[in-house]
Amino acid sequence: MEDMLLYEGKAKKLFKTDDPEQLRVEYLDQATALNGARKDIVQGKGMLNNQITALIFEQLAQKGMSSHFIKKISKHEQLVRPLAIIPLEVVIRNISAGSFAKRLAFEEGVELAQPILEFYFKEDSLDDPLINDDHVKILEIANEEEIKTIKDEAHKINQLLIEIFREIDLRLVDFKIEFGRCSDGTILLADEITPDTCRLWDFKTNQPLDKDVYRKNLGEIVPVYQEVLTRLEKRFN
Ligand code: TMP
């Protein structure tokens, strides 16, 4: 029997399995930008992102940071723990770029004196607005203690990811992560960590090896994502 589809996102499908403690994620060959307004089939992208995020979640686990990731089960699928996703996009920025540079007319590519953490409310109908801690509380997205946990974990994840990417000659410019609640209320890192959700610049050339290649029409993304996977596999497999 086919597994039941629980959720279909822009880049992934989530299915039930026979085990209530495990969900199956299928990574799709789809690229989107502008909150889904621009959408393209990109053959091979799902497989690359599934493998990249699996390797990164494994490296984070080795460094003591747990996540919803259980294991990769095929080139384009993985098993994860079921969580109630908290509707927040947690962005951390180490170098100015993207919406931060645009919104504040801040020069791109400047190393920030300290990492900046931002919350965006994950709500497509509102175009995922930037919000602060007070909004998070008033909207009952998370309470004060949970906000502190999310921020502390996000900053730790940032430091671990900086190390991981530095080992493969990539600068972690910024990234977005999501968290979920386990049945006992514990907050756990969820979703994905891929070139779709991170800005990664080559250490030597500063060339982007991430979704900006698609957003800015700089070329094909499959060879770029393949390069990230190849570097990760060479270093960590
Ligand atoms: P931004 O500069 O567009 O705000 O993006 C900051 C980082 O967050 C960047 O690495 C891309 C990632 N991101 C997502 O993964 N999903 C999103 O919906 C947005 C807006 C950003």
Side-chain angles (χ1 to χ4, degrees):
M1 208 177 67
E2 287 273 294
D3 291 337
M4 188 182 135
L5 179 67
L6 286 177
Y7 170 81
E8 178 162 2
K10 297 185 192 96
K12 303 186 280 289
K13 281 183 180 170
L14 190 61
F15 297 91
K16 270 191 170 172
T17 69
D18 295 338
D19 183 343
E21 291 309 311
Q22 302 192 339
L23 301 178
R24 179 167 61 84
V25 185
E26 187 182 320
Y27 279 74
L28 307 175
D29 284 341
Q30 195 161 281
T32 61
L34 309 168
N35 222 345
R38 182 177 161 213
K39 198 193 272 188
D40 289 289
I41 303 287
V42 181
Q43 219 78 48
K45 174 175 172 283
M47 220 165 69
L48 291 165
N49 273 352
N50 179 52
Q51 293 178 87
I52 290 169
T53 201
L55 268 165
I56 291 174
F57 280 139
E58 282 163 9
Q59 285 309 306
L60 287 176
Q62 279 191 23
K63 292 172 183 279
M65 177 58 65
S66 39
S67 73
H68 72 154
F69 178 75
I70 301 172
K71 65 175 178 182
K72 194 178 75 184
I73 51 169
S74 79
K75 285 205 161 167
H76 64 285
E77 297 161 299
Q78 56 184 252
L79 294 178
V80 300
R81 288 179 58 175
L83 299 174
I85 292 291
I86 298 169
L88 276 183
E89 301 201 329
V90 182
V91 168
I92 292 208
R93 304 178 186 275
N94 298 305
I95 297 174
S96 60
S99 70
F100 168 81
K102 192 169 173 204
R103 189 175 51 246
L104 302 174
F106 196 100
E107 187 188 345
E108 282 217 24
V110 177
E111 181 124 15
L112 302 168
Q114 61 175 70
I116 296 177
L117 185 147
E118 295 171 347
F119 287 137
Y120 293 85
F121 179 29
K122 233 170 96 81
E123 177 52 64
D124 278 346
S125 66
L126 300 174
D127 267 347
D128 301 344
L130 175 67
I131 55 173
N132 67 20
D133 297 25
D134 287 343
H135 296 106
V136 173
K137 271 187 270 176
I138 294 292
L139 294 173
E140 296 184 352
I141 297 168
N143 64 34
E144 188 138 3
E145 192 187 332
E146 290 174 324
I147 293 172
K148 181 171 173 0
T149 304
I150 290 170
K151 286 181 162 181
D152 289 349
E153 294 294 286
H155 281 294
K156 268 187 226 159
I157 292 162
N158 182 39
Q159 291 310 316
L160 299 175
L161 290 177
I162 287 174
E163 280 173 29
I164 292 168
F165 287 118
R166 189 187 288 138
E167 292 208 47
I168 59 166
D169 284 324
L170 291 175
R171 227 185 283 279
L172 179 61
V173 173
D174 55 33
F175 63 96
K176 182 267 302 183
I177 45 178
E178 295 179 23
F179 292 89
R181 291 186 188 93
C182 306
S183 46
D184 68 358
T186 314
I187 288 180
L188 204 56
L189 173 61
D191 198 49
E192 64 177 83
I193 299 177
T194 65
D196 273 5
T197 61
C198 301
R199 282 196 176 88
L200 302 167
W201 293 355
D202 182 84
F203 246 102
K204 292 185 198 87
T205 65
N206 268 341
Q207 285 301 304
L209 291 176
D210 58 54
K211 194 170 159 184
D212 271 351
V213 170
Y214 174 76
R215 293 189 193 98
K216 298 180 174 179
N217 286 312
L218 302 175
E220 297 291 323
I221 59 172
V222 163
V224 166
Y225 286 31
Q226 180 63 61
E227 171 70 19
V228 174
L229 177 61
T230 303
R231 290 191 195 187
L232 283 168
E233 284 177 336
K234 261 196 201 152
R235 176 63 189 83
F236 297 114
N237 258 354

